[in-house]
Amino acid sequence: METEQILKRLCAAGAPSGFERPAAQAALELLRPLMDEVWTDRLGNVIGVRRCGTPGAKKLLLDAHLDECGFMVQSILENGLLSILMLGGFHLTSLPAHSVIVRTRDGKKHRGITTSKPMHFLTAAQKNDNSLAIEDILVDVGASSREEVTEVYGIRPGDPIMPDVSFEYHKENGILYGKAFDNRLGCVSIIDTMQAL
């Protein structure tokens, strides 16, 4: 499989910290034909073994993490907006007005957008400060009440939220666009190495 196709498959797996199973499953499937043994442990780590057949040969470990920065639903407000917690590190001023995906416990995905208080509702001090706290950022999935969020959308506190970014590869200039390159590129390097062997 071509490197960009491997990366596209891994990046398409929304897997914020603590919710890595989709990326682990993709990595497991990509490694399976390349390894003598491959499995996941209780913590969700993907482990593969490839034997060289030489007695006493040195062992070599290749490792990378496959989670990504994301969020988790902290609570659902009466008006249907979601308050969130960060999973990983973001610079908060870059978050408002970004598309995100909320994944429910039964695997359904709902698109939302990050919001913050509109400029015309800010106090003079808030306008001058120009900073945000995670408490100032909410996710709007299009619902108008807490009941709609839970009963129609099936979203609950604790559900993961990840950036909604499509993967693209522009062959003519060699540019990749996407999310979670840290460290899905490390995972790709392991798979590429195993393919080369």
Side-chain angles (χ1 to χ4, degrees):
M1 185 181 283
E2 294 292 322
T3 301
E4 64 269 9
Q5 293 304 315
I6 295 169
L7 184 58
K8 180 178 183 176
R9 183 161 177 201
L10 288 171
C11 288
S17 301
F19 300 91
E20 298 95 343
R21 182 170 284 152
Q25 185 61 37
L28 184 85
E29 291 167 7
L30 289 163
L31 283 169
R32 186 169 280 130
L34 305 172
M35 309 299 276
D36 294 321
E37 293 178 60
V38 64
W39 69 93
T40 56
D41 67 10
R42 288 183 183 186
L43 296 175
N45 296 303
V46 178
I47 302 163
V49 175
R50 176 110 175 242
R51 293 177 183 81
C52 71
T54 305
K58 294 190 181 214
K59 294 178 182 175
L60 178 65
L61 170 69
L62 303 175
D63 75 327
H65 69 86
L66 48 71
D67 63 332
E68 64 184 281
C69 294
F71 309 94
M72 183 170 53
V73 177
Q74 180 179 34
S75 65
I76 303 166
L77 306 181
E78 271 305 315
N79 63 4
L81 294 174
L82 312 177
S83 70
I84 58 176
L85 296 171
M86 277 196 298
L87 301 174
F90 286 97
H91 194 279
L92 294 178
T93 56
S94 69
L95 291 182
H98 278 74
S99 181
V100 294
I101 300 291
V102 181
R103 188 175 65 229
T104 65
R105 288 165 197 185
D106 62 0
K108 291 184 180 169
K109 295 178 181 175
H110 300 284
R111 182 169 276 116
I113 190 160
T114 56
T115 67
S116 61
K117 191 183 283 187
M119 218 33 199
H120 51 278
F121 288 123
L122 296 176
T123 65
Q126 289 171 322
K127 286 179 185 176
N128 289 334
D129 182 20
N130 202 28
S131 65
L132 285 171
I134 192 64
E135 295 81 16
D136 299 326
I137 299 170
L138 302 168
V139 172
D140 186 346
V141 294
S144 57
S145 69
R146 177 183 293 137
E147 291 75 25
E148 186 179 1
V149 171
T150 59
E151 294 170 17
V152 176
Y153 290 79
I155 296 171
R156 303 271 187 273
D159 286 346
I161 304 171
M162 57 236 73
D164 179 20
V165 179
S166 296
F167 178 88
E168 292 180 40
Y169 172 57
H170 294 261
K171 194 170 190 168
E172 59 277 359
N173 58 16
I175 300 287
L176 296 166
Y177 299 89
K179 67 176 179 71
F181 286 177
D182 174 12
N183 190 23
R184 307 276 168 86
L185 283 169
C187 298
V188 169
S189 296
I190 293 169
I191 294 165
D192 273 352
T193 300
M194 299 317 295
Q195 283 180 332
L197 290 173

